[in-house]
Amino acid sequence: APMAEPTLQELNDSIAELEEYRNRLREDVIAMGKKLKLPQKRIDATVAEHAELQRLEEVLEQLLKQQEIMTNA
C-alpha cells in the first residue's frame, strides 16, 4: 500500500523537531569553533559548509512547502 500522506499535525511536529535539531547542531558547531578559538568568519564558513546542516535545510524547505500546500488546501 502507498504510504499515507502525513496529517498537517504530523507535518508540523516533524518540522518543529527538525528545526530544533538543526538549531542544536548549529549551536554545537559554533560552540566547537569558539572552543577552538577560531575567527568568527571561519566559524560562519564552517556552519555554511556543514553537510548535515545543509541537508537539514533542504529537508525543512521541502516540508515547509508541503505544509503551505496542506494549509491552503
Side-chain angles (χ1 to χ4, degrees), residues 11-55:
L11 196 58
N12 292 345
D13 291 346
S14 296
I15 290 168
E17 274 176 43
L18 271 179
E19 282 177 341
E20 201 177 296
Y21 175 55
R22 189 244 346 241
N23 295 344
R24 210 168 47 229
L25 183 59
R26 187 193 282 145
E27 280 161 23
D28 284 351
V29 172
I30 292 168
M32 183 59 78
K34 289 195 166 132
K35 208 163 152 183
L36 297 171
K37 302 204 175 2
L38 297 177
Q40 188 60 46
K41 266 192 169 146
R42 183 79 188 86
I43 295 174
D44 293 342
T46 304
V47 169
E49 292 159 13
H50 196 288
E52 195 174 356
L53 280 172
Q54 286 178 345
R55 179 87 188 98

